Amino acid sequence: MTDLAATQVLGFCALDAFLERARARLRPEPPGPHDDTSNPRGDHDLEPDVLEAALSRPPRLAAVLVPVVPRDDGVSVLFTLRSAHLRDHSGQIAFPGGKIDPGDPSPLAAALREAQEEIGLDPRAVTPLGYLDPYLSGTGFLVTPVVGLVAPDARLSLNPQEVAEAFEVPLDFLMDVANHALHSREWRGRQRRYYAIPFGERYIWGVTAGIVRNLYDRLRDADE
């Protein structure tokens, strides 16, 4: 099999193919929160009326790291399972991240700080690749996702106060649109639709699944 054919078969699993797409199609710099070109994606992509509620007050700024890890059998993405006792989003699957503090010089700095606090990921083990469009949640958070390549030998040390578990999902599974489902549940008195990506016993949904969907939209070819 030729190298080109192998890349076509492996798709996003091939590290070189992923890096080529990431460097060409991700934002090189994060848009500012008030930048007209920021074009936030978000829960309103599926439920337009959510936008008015989300913008009823200034958005709270946050950043997450989308950690991409090269493995011998392909490329994977690292997720966390939030601790069950947390007040917000307990027991949900998330990317490492959180609010951007006043002392954080950039969304990248915030995402790396949070990843170190939550899972003990050394910032030196992360190579930033670029940014996805900001994601506006229905609860009023404007989240900047930072895509970063994580050294495969990076050690993790989970903070049990915030994270119950860390696990990886193959990137080719996440980038297969056949695995993206639209589910719904009642929220604030009405049915709301959201993206969900079930993976075995894992249920990736809401903002996290929406960010994965945005990664797919950024990296896919126009005819995919």
Side-chain angles (χ1 to χ4, degrees):
M1 181 181 292
T2 66
D3 290 343
L4 176 59
T7 298
Q8 290 173 338
V9 170
L10 289 172
F12 288 101
C13 274
L15 178 60
D16 289 345
F18 164 72
L19 291 176
E20 181 180 359
R21 291 193 184 203
R23 288 167 177 151
R25 302 180 187 185
L26 296 178
R27 292 176 177 269
E29 299 290 339
H34 306 297
D35 186 344
D36 290 339
T37 65
S38 64
N39 184 29
R41 304 289 301 273
D43 294 347
H44 56 279
D45 289 349
L46 297 177
E47 300 288 349
D49 64 312
V50 170
L51 185 60
E52 182 178 354
L55 295 179
S56 61
R57 58 181 180 177
R60 293 169 285 178
L61 304 183
V64 299
L65 178 66
V66 181
V68 178
V69 189
R71 297 296 184 193
D72 291 341
D73 57 351
V75 181
S76 65
V77 176
L78 178 68
F79 294 87
T80 67
L81 179 66
R82 292 173 60 83
S83 296
H85 65 269
L86 290 173
R87 183 180 65 180
D88 296 323
H89 310 296
S90 60
Q92 293 185 14
I93 291 172
F95 289 118
K99 296 178 183 177
I100 297 178
D101 291 341
D104 292 321
S106 65
L108 171 61
L112 293 178
R113 173 184 56 76
E114 287 282 349
Q116 188 169 33
E117 293 175 0
E118 292 180 4
I119 60 175
L121 178 61
D122 189 334
R124 294 172 297 182
V126 181
T127 302
L129 299 177
Y131 299 84
L132 296 172
D133 295 328
Y135 191 100
L136 182 64
S137 74
T139 54
F141 280 97
L142 185 62
V143 183
T144 299
V146 184
V147 181
L149 188 69
V150 177
D153 59 352
R155 296 194 175 196
L156 303 183
S157 178
L158 307 188
N159 178 356
Q161 298 302 315
E162 299 190 52
V163 175
E165 189 178 350
F167 64 95
E168 296 178 18
V169 178
L171 182 63
D172 65 334
F173 179 90
L174 297 172
M175 296 297 100
D176 185 346
V177 72
N179 297 322
H180 299 186
L182 276 178
H183 291 177
S184 67
R185 65 173 57 182
E186 185 173 327
W187 185 65
R188 295 183 179 177
R190 62 158 290 180
Q191 287 294 117
R192 295 290 188 185
R193 296 181 302 157
Y194 56 88
Y195 281 114
I197 307 175
F199 178 71
E201 63 181 14
R202 312 290 188 180
Y203 187 65
I204 304 167
W205 71 286
V207 172
T208 305
I211 290 173
V212 172
R213 177 72 181 202
N214 292 351
L215 179 64
Y216 165 79
D217 287 340
R218 274 279 175 176
L219 297 185
R220 71 186 177 94
D221 289 330
D223 58 351
E224 291 178 334

